[in-house]
């Protein structure tokens, strides 16, 4: 009999749920807008509702467990949401226990960057590899690492916050409150912000007419059409990403770096610039490390969360 | 019967050797100047000579193996020195195999930062912990990581090159050829270089009279005596170290960061500044991570290398 797991990707905007088999295949996928202001009781109700709908879509006894990916930091050893800035009330909240009580299923909890890394490792661009760094480049920047064939978790399961390595001394203020973080320069949000500032200074660019609806997609589209400023902005973004990835390559010695998140939809345009930076700036022994895009696209975290239910459960000592 | 291992710390200046027991205690310690220009045959002769002297100091059948720490990057999966810039001829050199053949002992090879991390984890400041980052701050900056109770090695065993994370865009040229690396700003060499430049600009400092013999120790001594420039330099160094360590805390989520290397002799003066940076700039969930100095001082790598001989040997699959 086939076994299934339910993956939940709990975000500040959307809560997604999927029924996933042991091969990482999504059999059904649901999503709804997160009621982010309503507090944990309502949000857990949303997760419960989605879970029940997926369970009723298959033989519910075939569902071995639920894996939840959420923005952190989460203490996944204790199963606690320490503080989720985008979800009201999730402060020192015992997320795993509450879900287990409500849903009567084994629940695994993972910081979202790590969950996505697991998805890509088990079923995506990192299949069969022993060492990889996954970096999501989206509103913010997060990450997760597979090292020596194992999931890197660190104290409280909080490893992989690669968006908060400092890349500019006393630099731009980051969402974390710090200054000069990788996220503050290379995230999709940072990219769009930089684009707006440059457009205001530039006399000749097709982007000048776009106004408030400008987003990263419009910049890439203008670059494709030959707009000079847009191409400069994209090249600069690739270079900043390449610089951050090169640091991570020196730190982790992965076989590949996998880029996911919204901005990875533009990976084809970014790849050459990113890879050029790695080849130019990494130490010789690290120059052959490739940067690739996530194979599961926006589903890395969802599938990775589900995969947790199939992996051997970790004990406190193995956290 | 007591079992012993021999640890070798092969550096560009000194080659050190020690007879170490299973509790990390050094029973005998030897060192000599590395004949760095003479090529591998001579250097392996030096290691062989030191090994024989230590073996004859105990029941040689009690020696279970030899662990070697060397500057990298080394491919420790294959046992090859890829390129040791400070030792002539160690380029794609099969160091492990050559030593095994000559010495008829099982030989383990480890990149020096990782070896030192193992020493501190097994017998030093990280005893009993599951997650730690070790950073050596000396001529250069290296590192090694214990994560989830295991040694982090990465592809080819080359993880932990934390000195080569980029902290300044297009910054100072680093020994690796890159620009803006942590090493280029925070190493002992960088500290002394910055001191020289500031002394040349400053009218009132007791350091102006020291001239060419200025080293990091003289700056710390002047700071102790109340010299303002020296104190500014030391505070700045602590801040740069704190910034790099904060990045590593976000990336690895360790329980502690252990600082070793020559500059850690001044740890008492640096600690407050480093810890203040962590508390100010780390995300709330990471602010309680402590920074401590290496308990084994200059012997972390030597004892860590010896410890390799006692640890379960890694197979290719476990690399």
């Amino acid at each position: 009999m086939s076994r299934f797991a339910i993956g939940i990707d709990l975000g500040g905007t959307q809560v997604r749920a999927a029924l996933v088999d042991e091969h990482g295949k999504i059999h059904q996928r649901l999503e709804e807008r997160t009621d982010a202001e309503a507090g944990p009781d309502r949000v857990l109700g949303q997760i419960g509702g989605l879970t029940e709908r997926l369970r009723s879509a298959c033989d519910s006894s075939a569902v071995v467990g639920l894996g939840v990916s959420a923005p952190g930091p989460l203490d996944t050893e204790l199963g606690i949401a320490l503080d989720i800035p985008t979800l009201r009330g999730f402060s020192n909240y015992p997320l795993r226990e509450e879900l287990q009580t409500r849903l009567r299923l084994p629940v695994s909890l993972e910081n979202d960057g790590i969950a996505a890394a697991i998805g890509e490792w088990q079923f995506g661009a990192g299949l069969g590899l022993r060492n990889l760094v996954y970096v999501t480049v989206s509103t913010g920047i997060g990450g997760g690492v597979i090292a020596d064939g194992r999931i890197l978790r660190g104290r409280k399961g909080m490893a992989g916050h690669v968006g908060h390595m400092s890349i500019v001394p006393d630099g731009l203020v980051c969402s974390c409150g710090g200054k000069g973080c990788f996220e503050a320069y290379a995230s999709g949000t940072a990219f769009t912000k930089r684009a707006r500032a440059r457009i205001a200074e530039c006399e000749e660019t097709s982007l000048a007419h776009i106004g408030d609806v400008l987003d990263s997609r419009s910049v890439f589209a203008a670059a494709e059409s030959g707009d000079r400023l847009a191409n400069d902005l994209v090249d600069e973004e690739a270079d900043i990403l390449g610089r951050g990835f090169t640091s991570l390559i020196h730190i982790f010695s992965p076989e590949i770096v996998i880029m996911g998140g919204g901005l990875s939809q533009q990976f084809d345009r970014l790849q050459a610039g990113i890879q050029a930076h790695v080849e130019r700036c990494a130490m010789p022994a690290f120059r052959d490390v490739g940067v690739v895009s996530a194979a599961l696209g926006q589903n890395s975290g969802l599938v990775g969360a589900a995969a947790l239910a199939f992996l051997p459960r970790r004990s406190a000592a193995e956290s």
Side-chain angles (χ1 to χ4, degrees), chain A:
Chain A
M1 195 183 79
S2 297
R3 298 196 310 158
F4 292 98
I6 290 171
I8 302 285
D9 185 355
L10 174 60
T13 312
Q14 296 287 321
V15 49
R16 297 174 185 147
L19 187 68
V20 180
D21 68 23
E22 289 180 86
H23 308 289
K25 191 181 162 203
I26 294 178
H27 288 252
Q28 195 169 345
R29 189 181 187 283
L30 303 169
E31 64 182 273
E32 57 185 66
R33 202 162 179 80
T34 313
D35 205 347
E37 289 296 313
D41 188 59
R42 164 77 183 121
V43 172
L44 266 71
Q46 293 188 285
I47 294 173
L50 293 167
T51 300
E52 285 317 314
R53 283 168 62 194
L54 292 173
R55 264 172 143 171
S56 64
C58 69
D59 173 2
S60 75
S61 69
V63 175
V64 299
L66 184 82
V68 179
S69 158
L74 312 170
D75 180 337
T76 59
E77 291 178 9
L78 297 178
I80 289 173
L82 296 172
D83 185 29
I84 306 182
T86 49
L87 295 176
R88 183 199 289 258
F90 282 85
S91 193
N92 284 313
Y93 182 80
L95 183 52
R96 185 169 62 208
E97 197 182 315
E98 286 289 333
L99 280 171
Q100 276 180 173
T101 306
R102 285 181 185 227
L103 303 177
R104 298 180 188 198
L105 271 174
V107 174
S108 301
L109 194 62
E110 201 73 70
N111 279 286
D112 51 6
I114 298 178
I118 294 169
E120 289 295 325
W121 176 45
Q122 293 285 304
F123 306 114
L127 193 63
L129 298 183
R130 294 177 51 77
N131 299 284
L132 66 86
V133 175
Y134 170 88
V135 184
T136 177
V137 184
S138 191
T139 313
I141 289 186
V145 175
I146 306 300
D148 306 324
R150 292 178 288 250
I151 303 159
L152 181 83
R153 290 202 167 97
R155 168 183 177 246
K156 301 184 184 176
M158 300 193 304
H161 283 85
V162 302
H164 304 288
M165 63 179 169
S166 172
I167 66 162
V168 177
D170 226 359
L172 295 173
V173 172
C174 180
S175 69
C176 73
K179 282 183 185 175
C181 294
F182 186 33
E183 171 170 312
Y185 287 85
S187 66
T189 314
F191 174 69
T192 311
K193 205 167 166 185
R194 191 162 53 242
R196 281 182 212 282
R198 294 284 169 75
I199 291 163
E201 293 164 1
C202 180
E203 302 203 340
E204 283 181 58
T205 171
S206 60
L207 291 167
H209 311 293
I210 295 182
D212 284 351
V213 297
L214 180 112
D215 60 11
S216 59
R217 234 168 306 194
S218 26
V219 181
F220 279 88
E224 175 81 36
S225 309
D227 186 272
R228 174 131 181 215
L229 175 68
N231 275 295
D232 287 351
L233 284 163
V234 169
D235 290 341
E236 187 179 352
E237 176 68 15
D239 198 60
I240 301 171
L241 287 170
R243 190 157 76 88
F245 293 175
T246 301
S247 292
L248 295 172
I249 288 169
H250 288 142
I251 290 171
F252 287 109
S253 191
E255 281 140 86
I256 56 170
V257 175
I258 303 174
M259 175 172 158
L263 217 63
S264 70
Q265 289 167 18
Q266 311 292 347
F267 186 75
D268 288 349
R269 173 63 181 82
L270 291 164
Q271 183 177 24
I274 294 171
Q275 200 74 54
H277 191 107
V278 173
E279 282 162 26
R280 195 171 68 245
C281 301
M283 295 194 289
F286 296 91
R287 277 181 200 160
D288 58 343
V289 177
V291 180
V292 303
S293 72
L296 307 179
Q298 302 309 302
N299 291 326
S300 314
L302 196 54
V303 172
L308 289 167
F310 295 122
L311 293 170
R313 304 210 72 197
R314 51 178 169 153
S315 66
E318 290 170 345
S319 57

